[in-house]
């Protein structure tokens, strides 16, 4: 589609609430309800740099705005990728976009995964469901900078075989040197030859070095609760080496709408990535 | 034929076990192989063994009429399979279907049951180890029940 | 605005002198906003003349109660704070953030709404200056600045009024936010209206304030008159409601589970009144609208409240479905996590949430109950 000259106008850049114009390059189906959108800046604008773990606010014309984690490769200079699970009207509108459609993008925002802290260590990634999406850029980063890290271990749990995201990539990652990828599903049919069992059951296959491991976890909060309990109580990993990506209702992403409060934190400003040390006192609390 | 003693001794299940007891287990152990699609056991059958899986993958299934069986969990290399032999009435509560060819060490439960009745210290050591496994499986099942990835919890 | 270190020489102006203030400000391009009577309450509106002020009115306030009453004198500022605060102007309850035009295949994002007026606020109380400081911290001085607030806040001319009475709902003294306004104003007035006198002791807090004051026919205020004004403000410091803020952050964090939350939840209607009248509550939500042709879309921002279930909605449901959790969130945020987030309490002790709660829930009482009961469980209830 042709682009108008107004796109990328300078005037709006100072306003943190004003989206930048992007166009849909492609939409690919990952599973029955999850899609990856590849977006490019409209006109010849540069795409903003991002760090693994950050998110953007994606605005669909007239429908609304949503916080979505960036799921693509940080070194892929031309585009931003977002993996979206369709769970309501706004996400449905997002995944129904077609190539060439206009999308407003704000961000990237938020604290990224501590990939610096992981240098010289094993990186253990634990993902549940759509939680693999915000971890995917971190996996790309580690694989691209392989000498900076020792082992890469990816544990991934999904609801069913049909819900597993990035299956081809998971296989490819698993064939990389010093990389172990274990997947499991909560419910497997009779034709499924892979593992059945919740993601925490994968830990029994690992030999961890708790003194030189950094763990990145993303998934439903309840799943993360079980994961950190397993890591800390049974695997000897210290809370300071575990990082979690938390979720709350984010409306502005810049710290002044108040929605994403989590105890003393704003998820958008102080997260979404937190060390477990920061949030351990909050995680078990009901209705916080 | 290779001795099974070093294999058992190195397995975490037997970690910290008195050497004398370990010999007892070795005496009850035998190598077994199962091919894809075979069943190690089926619901209701006499449970007289447990397995230390060395290779392959086995699915624990519950049969439900007029629908495909439900796979509760898969077990693989390093896992211990089966505790029904320990608890009366000593009948399997699942079907165990081989998903990937299985090599395992089978341990004779009937023989162990008798020895545990005679020697409660041995029985305690064994029960401690099985309670740990059952607890882990129960916890995993609870998390599974939460269906954490469902679209609307 | 600047604040000199030494004691500021104060002037006295008459009612006639004060009458010049609004025209003087208007001539300098300000739109003057201040208290006026509307719908049985004292609210903040644009003022055109001195007569727009609530001369001869006062208010009666208690938990869940607000009434206007005629005074025996013609005092202009003889009341305390009403249901509105200055966030009405600085952080508007509804505002269009952007509008987007789709023309064929081109899309245009416009965010330039008409520039806001230059405001002069007349009649700002000490607690309200404190509240503006609190909102400045949130909306201007964090990592990002809210352009809406920034454009309105910049260059506001502040005419403070020193309180000479405290409503029964006031507890600014406990929060160390009043009753005396000591900084962040251009002019501060202390009204003396009795025995046939109607005078204003005026302190200039900035060069701009001093310049305006010079045109209000000021005379030097005698030490006796200054003392009389100071004593009047000191009387307002004697307040029936108090809040013990010692260690309050840890107190509330440690009492996340406390039977008092169930007690207050049984009374709270989750009407959100407290958050609407609170001068520091800043939460907003964004609404997207589009026209039927699909060529025009707007994003509107409006005040939101943590008392709604939708406030904490993530797919699957609200994080805080219970009334208890929402009241706890509000009060714990206001008095505890605000300190972690922004370095100060979010409460200035204005008492609006007490007055305007239809159930008469009193935040000072809730703190007292949690403090009293924190060691001894539910017997303190």
């Amino acid at each position: 589609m042709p682009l108008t000259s107004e796109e990328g106008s300078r005037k709006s850049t100072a306003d943190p609430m004003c989206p930048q114009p992007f166009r849909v390059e492609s939409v690919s189906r990952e599973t029955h309800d999850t899609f990856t959108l590849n977006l490019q800046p409209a006109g010849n604008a540069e795409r903003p740099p991002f760090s693994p773990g950050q998110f953007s606010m994606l605005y669909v014309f007239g429908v609304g705005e949503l916080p979505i984690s960036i799921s693509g490769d940080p070194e892929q200079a031309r585009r931003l990728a977002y993996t979206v699970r369709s769970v309501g009207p706004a996400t449905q509108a997002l995944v129904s976009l077609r190539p060439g459609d206009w999308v407003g993008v704000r961000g990237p925002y938020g604290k990224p995964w501590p990939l610096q802290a992981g240098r010289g260590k094993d990186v253990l990634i634990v993902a549940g469901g759509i939680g693999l999406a915000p971890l995917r850029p971190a996996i790309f980063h580690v694989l691209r900078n392989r000498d900076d890290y020792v082992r890469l271990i990816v544990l991934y749990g999904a609801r069913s075989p049909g819900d597993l995201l990035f299956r081809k990539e998971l296989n490819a990652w698993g064939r990389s040197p010093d990389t172990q990828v274990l997947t499991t599903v909560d419910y497997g049919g009779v034709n499924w030859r892979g593992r059945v069992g919740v993601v925490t059951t994968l830990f029994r296959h690992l030999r961890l070095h708790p003194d030189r491991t950094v763990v990145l976890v993303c998934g439903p909060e309840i799943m993360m609760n079980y994961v950190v309990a397993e890591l800390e109580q049974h695997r000897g990993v210290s809370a300071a080496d575990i990082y979690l990506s938390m979720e709350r209702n984010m409306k502005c992403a810049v710290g002044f709408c108040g929605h994403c409060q989590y105890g003393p934190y704003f998820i958008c400003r102080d997260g979404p990535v937190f060390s477990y040390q920061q949030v351990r006192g909050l995680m078990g609390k009901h209705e916080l | 034929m290779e001795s099974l003693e070093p294999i058992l001794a190195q397995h975490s299940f037997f970690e910290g076990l008195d050497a004398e007891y370990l010999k007892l287990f070795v005496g009850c152990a035998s190598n077994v192989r199962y091919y894809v699609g075979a069943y190690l056991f089926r619901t209701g059958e006499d449970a007289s063994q447990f397995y230390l899986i060395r290779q392959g993958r086995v699915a624990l299934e519950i049969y439900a009429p007029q629908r495909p069986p439900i796979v509760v969990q898969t077990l693989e290399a390093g896992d211990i399979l089966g505790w029904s032999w320990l608890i009366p009435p000593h009948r399997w509560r699942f079907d165990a279907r081989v998903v990937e060819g299985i090599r395992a060490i089978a341990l004779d439960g009937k023989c162990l049951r008798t020895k545990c009745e005679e020697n409660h210290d041995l029985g305690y050591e064994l029960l401690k180890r099985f309670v740990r496994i059952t607890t882990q499986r129960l916890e995993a099942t609870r998390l599974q029940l939460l269906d954490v990835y469902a679209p609307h919890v | 605005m600047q604040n000199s270190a030494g004691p500021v020489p104060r002037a006295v102006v008459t009612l006639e002198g004060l009458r010049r203030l609004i025209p003087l400000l208007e001539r300098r391009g300000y739109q003057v906003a201040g208290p006026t009577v509307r719908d049985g309450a004292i609210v903040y509106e644009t003022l055109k003349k001195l007569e727009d002020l609530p001369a001869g009115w006062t208010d009666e306030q208690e938990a869940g109660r607000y009434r206007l009453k005629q005074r025996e004198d013609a005092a202009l500022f003889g009341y305390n704070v009403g249901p509105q605060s200055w966030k009405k102007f600085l952080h508007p309850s509804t505002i269009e953030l952007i509008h987007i035009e789709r023309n064929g295949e081109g899309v245009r994002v416009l965010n330039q709404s008409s520039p806001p007026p230059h405001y002069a606020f007349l009649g700002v109380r000490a607690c309200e200056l404190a509240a503006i400081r609190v909102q400045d911290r949130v909306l201007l001085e964090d990592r990002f600045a809210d352009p809406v607030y920034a454009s309105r806040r910049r260059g506001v001319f502040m005419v403070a009024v020193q309180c000479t009475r405290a409503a029964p709902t006031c507890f600014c003294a406990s929060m160390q936010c009043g009753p005396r306004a000591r900084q962040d104003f251009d002019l501060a007035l202390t009204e003396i209206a009795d025995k046939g006198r109607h005078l204003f002791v005026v302190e200039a807090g900035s060069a701009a304030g001093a310049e305006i004051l010079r045109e209000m026919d000021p005379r030097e205020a005698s030490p006796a008159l200054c003392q009389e004004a100071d004593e009047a403000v000191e009387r307002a410091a004697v307040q029936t409601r108090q809040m013990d803020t010692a260690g309050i952050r840890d107190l509330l964090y440690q009492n996340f589970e406390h039977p008092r939350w169930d007690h207050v939840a049984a009374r709270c209607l989750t009407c959100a009144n407290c958050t609407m009248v609170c001068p520091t509550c800043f939460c907003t939500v964004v609404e997207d609208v589009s026209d039927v042709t699909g060529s025009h879309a707007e994003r509107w921002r409006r005040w939101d409240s943590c008392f709604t279930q939708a406030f904490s909605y993530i797919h699957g449901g609200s994080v805080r479905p219970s009334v208890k959790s929402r009241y706890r969130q509000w009060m714990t945020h206001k008095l505890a996590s605000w300190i972690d987030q922004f370095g100060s309490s979010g409460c200035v002790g204005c008492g609006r949430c007490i007055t305007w709660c239809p159930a008469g829930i009193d935040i000072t009482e809730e703190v007292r109950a949690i403090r009293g009961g924190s060691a001894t469980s539910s017997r303190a209830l």
Side-chain angles (χ1 to χ4, degrees):
Chain A
M1 285 188 187
L3 309 172
T4 64
S5 57
E6 285 93 342
E7 284 189 316
S9 106
R10 290 275 154 229
K11 194 166 67 177
S12 54
T13 52
D15 184 344
M17 292 303 284
C18 190
Q20 296 301 302
F22 275 64
R23 295 278 178 181
V24 176
E25 183 196 54
S26 61
V27 183
S28 51
R29 177 187 276 270
E30 304 289 354
T31 70
H32 61 101
D33 63 358
T34 303
F35 298 79
T36 295
L37 277 88
N38 289 304
L39 306 183
Q40 289 188 332
N44 288 314
E46 300 258 307
R47 80 140 168 80
F50 76 92
S51 300
Q54 290 194 299
F55 68 95
S56 303
M57 299 298 292
L58 301 188
Y59 170 77
V60 182
F61 185 86
V63 177
E65 201 180 45
L66 286 170
I68 308 284
S69 293
I70 304 172
S71 63
D73 187 344
E75 302 296 316
Q76 222 297 341
R78 276 296 292 155
R79 70 165 82 105
L80 287 172
Y82 301 88
T83 302
V84 184
R85 186 178 182 198
S86 174
V87 289
T91 43
Q92 180 57 47
L94 206 48
V95 303
S96 304
L97 291 170
R98 293 286 158 257
D101 283 352
W102 183 92
V103 183
V105 177
R106 295 194 292 122
Y109 297 118
K111 291 244 165 69
W113 297 111
L115 290 165
Q116 283 298 322
R119 289 168 77 109
K121 296 182 179 175
D122 291 349
V123 178
L124 168 59
I125 282 176
V126 188
I130 187 78
L132 183 58
L135 284 161
R136 188 167 167 247
I139 296 169
F140 283 133
H141 176 91
V142 172
L143 291 174
R144 214 179 265 282
N145 299 276
R146 204 60 198 83
D147 295 345
D148 293 348
Y149 305 92
V150 188
R151 289 188 302 164
L152 171 65
I153 307 164
V154 179
L155 306 185
Y156 179 40
R159 192 170 193 232
S160 73
D163 292 302
L164 285 165
L165 294 172
F166 314 123
R167 279 175 78 166
K168 277 186 192 150
E169 284 180 347
L170 287 163
N171 286 331
W173 295 336
R175 289 192 296 269
S176 311
D178 296 320
T179 304
Q180 197 177 357
V181 175
L182 303 179
T183 57
T184 185
V185 297
D186 283 10
Y187 308 99
V190 283
N191 297 322
W192 170 242
R193 290 169 50 85
R195 296 184 185 86
V196 178
V198 293
V199 71
T200 47
T201 62
L202 294 176
F203 285 110
R204 71 189 200 277
H205 303 302
L206 301 183
R207 220 170 265 280
L208 289 183
H209 306 287
D211 52 324
R212 50 151 240 235
T213 300
V214 59
V215 191
L216 316 181
V217 192
C218 187
E221 200 165 317
I222 182 81
M223 163 256 174
M224 295 200 288
N225 268 319
Y226 279 84
V227 168
V228 292
E230 176 74 22
L231 283 168
E232 215 191 10
Q233 293 160 23
H234 300 300
R235 309 284 156 182
V237 182
S238 99
D241 293 325
I242 305 171
Y243 294 84
L244 312 156
S245 184
M246 305 300 296
E247 186 188 11
R248 281 291 181 276
N249 186 0
M250 290 192 278
K251 288 286 183 197
C252 78
V254 289
F256 42 72
C257 82
H259 280 77
C260 67
Q261 284 181 75
Y262 183 53
Y265 304 117
F266 291 99
I267 299 282
C268 72
R269 183 187 83 167
D270 308 307
V273 174
F274 293 90
S275 86
Y276 178 47
Q277 235 171 358
Q278 283 176 289
V279 296
R280 72 184 312 162
L282 306 173
M283 277 185 76
K285 288 187 171 160
H286 298 185
E287 295 192 59
L288 176 68
Chain B
M1 190 183 152
E2 61 176 328
S3 163
L4 296 176
E5 183 163 355
I7 299 167
L8 294 193
Q10 276 162 30
H11 195 280
S12 62
F13 182 81
F14 298 101
E15 199 182 297
L17 194 72
D18 198 284
E20 206 178 309
Y21 291 156
L22 188 66
K23 280 212 173 63
L24 271 175
F25 281 98
V26 174
C28 301
S30 59
N31 269 311
V32 291
R33 271 173 182 273
Y34 292 88
Y35 296 100
V36 174
Y39 284 81
L40 275 72
F41 50 78
R42 284 183 183 268
T43 312
E45 289 176 357
D46 249 11
S48 55
Q49 286 182 310
F50 75 98
Y51 302 90
L52 191 164
I53 301 173
R54 299 182 64 194
Q55 194 184 316
R57 182 172 295 151
V58 59
L60 300 187
E61 295 175 348
I62 308 174
Y63 170 76
Q66 289 163 319
R67 52 183 285 188
I70 295 159
V71 179
V72 179
Q73 190 186 16
T74 56
L75 297 173
E76 56 194 271
D79 287 328
I80 298 287
L81 166 59
W83 58 71
S84 296
W85 63 275
L86 193 52
I87 300 144
H90 311 303
R91 292 191 188 283
W92 294 114
R93 317 299 294 264
F94 294 106
D95 297 346
R97 178 175 55 85
V98 178
V99 180
E100 283 175 17
I102 287 287
R103 278 178 52 214
I105 294 172
L107 291 119
D108 182 346
K110 273 185 185 159
C111 151
L112 284 171
R113 273 188 330 238
T114 316
K115 285 177 176 154
C116 288
E117 286 302 335
E118 290 163 3
N119 182 345
H120 285 188
D121 287 350
L122 170 67
Y124 178 66
E125 287 298 326
L126 195 65
L127 277 175
K128 258 203 310 198
R129 286 163 168 76
F130 271 103
V131 163
R132 207 189 132 146
I133 292 169
T134 48
T135 307
Q136 284 166 353
R137 305 240 169 114
L138 177 63
E139 226 169 68
T141 307
R142 284 175 180 164
L143 182 53
Q144 205 170 20
L145 274 177
L146 287 169
D147 197 7
V148 293
Y149 313 117
H152 292 283
V153 181
Chain C
M1 280 170 284
Q2 47 190 271
N3 299 291
S4 56
V8 184
R10 282 181 280 178
V12 59
V13 303
T14 62
L15 187 63
E16 286 312 302
L18 191 72
R19 192 178 299 283
R20 298 182 191 173
L21 179 58
I22 294 173
L24 278 167
L25 289 167
E26 284 180 338
R27 216 172 301 145
R28 282 166 171 77
Y30 291 108
Q31 179 176 315
V32 182
T36 195
V37 174
R38 180 166 59 79
D39 302 333
I42 291 167
V43 295
Y44 296 148
E45 302 267 7
T46 302
L47 303 180
K48 300 308 288 180
K49 53 188 187 302
L50 200 69
E51 283 69 26
D52 292 339
L53 289 166
W57 286 101
T58 190
D59 53 27
E60 285 182 347
Q61 301 198 41
E62 243 316 329
R65 183 184 156 79
Y66 179 95
R67 293 287 183 280
L68 288 189
K69 214 177 78 175
Q70 282 284 348
R71 288 173 66 95
E72 287 173 4
D73 57 33
L76 302 178
F77 302 105
Y79 41 85
N80 293 97
V81 292
Q84 296 181 343
S85 66
W86 306 96
K87 79 174 181 185
K88 168 180 174 177
F89 302 102
L90 300 176
H91 185 49
S93 58
T94 55
I95 192 158
E96 189 184 353
L97 291 177
I98 51 172
H99 59 267
I100 302 160
E101 304 287 350
R102 186 155 66 177
N103 185 0
E105 287 156 347
V107 177
R108 210 155 70 121
V109 180
L110 301 161
N111 64 332
Q112 290 302 97
S113 46
S114 50
H118 295 291
Y119 285 116
F121 294 163
L122 169 56
V124 186
R125 309 297 177 137
C127 62
E128 299 185 305
L129 285 170
I132 292 168
R133 278 195 294 276
V134 169
Q135 285 211 329
D136 283 354
R137 173 65 188 85
V138 176
L139 298 170
L140 289 184
E141 296 160 14
D142 214 67
R143 194 168 309 154
F144 294 91
D146 171 22
V148 174
Y149 187 84
S151 65
R152 287 152 183 272
R153 176 71 179 89
R154 196 175 299 128
V156 171
F157 190 95
M158 292 282 182
V159 183
V161 164
Q162 306 288 12
C163 289
T164 53
R165 74 192 273 274
T169 45
C170 292
F171 59 103
C172 63
S174 294
M175 305 312 293
Q176 284 154 13
C177 292
R180 174 176 292 284
R182 297 178 192 278
Q183 55 182 357
D184 299 335
F185 55 77
D186 295 283
L187 291 172
L189 316 176
T190 311
E191 183 175 35
I192 295 173
D194 64 359
K195 306 172 206 153
R197 291 185 302 173
H198 200 170
L199 300 171
F200 300 87
V201 174
V202 188
E203 181 186 336
S206 70
E211 187 190 314
I212 298 241
L213 176 57
R214 275 196 290 280
E215 294 186 49
M216 290 164 66
D217 194 16
R219 280 165 293 139
E220 196 183 319
S222 70
L225 192 65
C226 288
Q227 191 184 343
E228 190 181 341
D230 289 346
E231 283 169 7
V233 180
E234 275 157 31
R235 278 197 296 279
V238 180
Q239 298 176 348
T240 48
R241 272 196 169 71
Q242 277 155 20
M243 187 190 285
D244 178 359
T245 60
I248 195 162
R249 191 190 69 141
D250 293 341
L251 175 79
L252 294 181
Y253 282 173
Q254 284 158 15
N255 285 287
F256 183 80
E257 296 295 344
H258 190 285
R260 186 68 184 188
W261 300 122
D262 293 310
H263 193 276
V264 71
R267 291 169 284 140
C268 175
L269 309 172
T270 64
C271 71
N273 263 17
C274 49
T275 53
M276 298 293 108
V277 297
C278 176
T280 67
C281 273
F282 58 85
C283 291
T284 52
V285 66
V286 166
E287 277 177 0
D288 292 278
V289 291
S290 58
D291 65 2
V292 284
T293 67
S295 62
H296 177 92
E298 296 172 357
R299 307 203 74 203
W300 284 80
R301 185 171 84 181
R302 61 172 175 76
W303 290 351
D304 199 3
S305 173
C306 52
F307 281 92
T308 70
Q309 283 208 47
F311 186 85
S312 63
Y313 181 87
I314 45 180
H315 69 92
S318 172
V319 171
R320 300 186 200 100
S322 72
V323 175
K324 161 185 163 171
S325 70
R326 282 176 267 155
Y327 187 87
R328 179 176 59 198
Q329 164 62 23
W330 177 71
M331 191 168 120
T332 307
H333 181 220
K334 191 68 47 184
L335 299 173
S337 41
W338 208 295
I339 298 170
D340 280 324
Q341 290 166 356
F342 303 111
S344 79
S345 175
C347 177
V348 296
C350 72
R352 284 181 179 91
C353 59
I354 304 171
T355 300
W356 295 96
C357 176
I361 296 170
D362 177 350
I363 190 171
T364 67
E365 187 57 39
E366 298 311 311
V367 170
R368 201 163 11 257
I370 285 176
R371 195 180 287 283
S374 63
T376 55
S377 85
S378 61
R379 275 177 295 125
L381 301 175

